[in-house]
Amino acid sequence: MGRVWGLIALLMCFYRANAAAAPNIIAEPFEVFNQTSAILRCNLTETTLPVQGSHWLLNGKVIESSKSTEPSPYTSLSLDKITTHSGGKYECVFLIDPPVQQVVEVKTPPHVVAYKHSENGDENDKILLTCVSHGYPLPSDWSWSKTQADGSLVAIVNNTAEKYEIKSTPNKTTLAITALSIELDKGEYVCTGISDLGATSDRIQLRVRSRLAAVWPFLGIVVEVIILVTIIFIYEKRRKPDEIQDDDDSGSAPLKSNSDTNNKEKSVRQRNSN
């Protein structure tokens, strides 16, 4: 029985020693919310294990400039300008055995951008409007609406009369519109991304063309050719009578000259006979 209690006491001591040596990371700040810049700091405590270096991760990828081989239990990362592209899940990593790490979230409002701000569609065809989002966290919800003549917005409901189809993921949303109508569907559409930090929107201008729109340029070229041919024909027709008249005038002049010469010769003969 004494041996059993001795073994239990030994295990308890071993557990307490390991528990005391369990590493702990103190992160400051623990979360960055809607700031333009920040300095992330991590301090490794409650461990006697040797530190062989440290680095930072952003969304699971190593930030190369943050790599360090210094045996220091302290590391920091400076974010001079926080944008929608620099927000995300940062992690400080200390290279001990085994490595330990701590998460620091840098949150930014969603940044919604239309893939194209102007779209053109043909009557009775289908068109796809697209918006994407950047930032952390990404939108948890998306919505679409259409701007009315008075400036108000009317929400578009998914699968309305089989005309609208909305598909969304955290970083992207699409609105498909079928059987486009010039009277009903042209106008401004608004996509909105919503996250815990707020909502952001962007706008797309949709123009719907008649099916004959592609024919008009061809018809314009045909009309221009017809006008050009008509002008050439009229010009040629008016020019030919003038050329005939000129030919007649040039042919009668020598005849008149010969007659005058004969008359002169007769006058000379009569004078000589006298």
Side-chain angles (χ1 to χ4, degrees), residues 2-12:
R3 291 181 180 179
V4 174
W5 283 109
L7 181 60
I8 293 174
L10 182 62
L11 290 175
M12 291 292 294

Side-chain angles (χ1 to χ4, degrees), residues 240-251:
K240 286 182 179 180
D242 294 339
E243 290 180 351
I244 294 173
Q245 183 65 32
D246 292 342
D247 291 342
D248 293 342
D249 293 342
S250 62

Side-chain angles (χ1 to χ4, degrees), residues 104-229:
V104 180
E105 291 185 309
V106 177
K107 298 182 177 181
T108 61
H111 179 60
V112 174
V113 181
Y115 184 71
K116 287 184 179 179
H117 288 97
S118 178
E119 291 279 5
N120 296 311
D122 294 326
E123 191 177 17
N124 297 325
D125 281 350
K126 178 181 179 179
I127 196 166
L128 191 68
L129 309 182
T130 304
C131 289
V132 297
S133 178
H134 306 285
Y136 180 84
L138 291 170
S140 56
D141 191 19
W142 289 92
S143 66
W144 285 88
S145 55
K146 189 174 186 293
T147 305
Q148 303 301 298
D150 59 358
S152 62
L153 296 177
V154 174
I156 297 175
V157 180
N158 195 16
N159 296 322
T160 303
E162 297 184 354
K163 185 174 183 63
Y164 301 109
E165 184 181 7
I166 299 174
K167 293 183 179 180
S168 300
T169 61
N171 67 328
K172 180 181 178 180
T173 182
T174 59
L175 171 64
I177 307 174
T178 59
L180 286 174
S181 168
I182 296 177
E183 293 78 13
L184 300 177
D185 296 325
K186 69 177 181 180
E188 185 182 67
Y189 291 80
V190 180
C191 57
T192 303
I194 305 167
S195 74
D196 296 338
L197 303 184
T200 309
S201 303
D202 203 3
R203 299 172 183 268
I204 302 173
Q205 187 69 36
L206 174 62
R207 297 175 178 85
V208 182
R209 302 171 296 193
S210 170
R211 281 191 171 275
L212 297 177
V215 180
W216 290 121
F218 174 74
L219 293 179
I221 294 174
V222 172
V223 171
E224 290 179 359
V225 172
I226 292 174
I227 293 174
L228 180 60
V229 170

